[in-house]
């Protein structure tokens, strides 16, 4: 049976490196470019079919249909069966442990600063 005994592909989390080198705006521009490469040009969204057509660019040509469906479902927050650009960007951030950790630390630092500032009033 296809897929039995296969391990999930391992991905190197490059988003933190990209964020450091490109800055926030540059990273968002690159994510937008990635979205445009993967999207269905007629629908303006990433569908299971467009992901399957473009899977080789990502090294994912061996993924089964149900795995591609799961990938789209993971980020599909509005339930329309496809990813718009915002859903794609949010999903990329969620799937990046390094960026999530950095974001968490930054948020904690901001909250702590706010609490310290509030203590003086």
């Amino acid at each position: 049976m296809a897929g039995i005994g296969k391990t999930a592909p391992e991905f190197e989390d490059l988003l933190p490196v990209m964020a450091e080198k490109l800055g926030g705006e540059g990273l968002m521009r690159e994510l937008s470019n990635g979205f445009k490469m993967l999207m269905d040009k007629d629908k303006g969204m990433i569908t299971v079919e467009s992901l399957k057509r473009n899977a080789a660019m990502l090294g994912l040509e061996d993924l089964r249909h149900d795995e591609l469906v799961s990938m789209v479902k993971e980020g599909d927050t509005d339930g329309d069966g496809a990813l718009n650009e915002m859903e794609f960007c949010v999903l990329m951030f969620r799937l990046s442990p390094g960026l999530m950790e950095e974001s968490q630390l930054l948020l904690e630092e901001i909250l702590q600063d706010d609490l310290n500032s509030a203590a003086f009033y």
Side-chain angles (χ1 to χ4, degrees):
M1 286 188 211
I4 300 221
K6 290 174 80 173
T7 59
E10 297 234 355
F11 298 100
E12 185 177 351
D13 185 9
L14 297 177
L15 283 182
V17 174
M18 289 174 64
E20 187 175 320
K21 289 185 185 253
L22 301 173
E25 286 183 34
L27 177 61
M28 292 309 294
R29 195 170 33 255
E30 286 303 310
L31 286 175
S32 180
N33 290 339
F35 173 80
K36 289 173 185 162
M37 280 187 349
L38 297 173
M39 76 176 188
D40 179 301
K41 305 301 183 223
D42 295 328
K43 296 179 181 175
M45 302 178 84
I46 295 175
T47 63
V48 172
E49 293 76 26
S50 71
L51 191 55
K52 187 172 191 165
R53 273 193 309 273
N54 297 302
M57 281 191 292
L58 303 171
L60 303 175
E61 59 274 359
D62 293 334
L63 288 181
R64 299 183 318 259
H65 181 77
D66 63 314
E67 292 171 317
L68 295 171
V69 169
S70 292
M71 289 175 75
V72 171
K73 279 185 180 180
E74 176 79 21
D76 181 19
T77 58
D78 62 12
D80 63 359
L83 300 178
N84 61 40
E85 191 168 355
M86 181 60 71
E87 289 171 325
F88 174 75
C89 289
V90 168
L91 180 61
M92 293 299 97
F93 273 83
R94 281 184 35 223
L95 294 177
S96 172
L99 272 183
M100 290 302 290
E101 185 177 311
E102 287 177 29
S103 297
Q104 177 73 26
L105 292 172
L106 182 60
L107 180 60
E108 288 173 4
E109 185 178 309
I110 291 169
L111 289 173
Q112 188 61 49
D113 288 347
D114 285 350
L115 285 173
N116 291 342
S117 296
F120 290 111
Y121 291 110

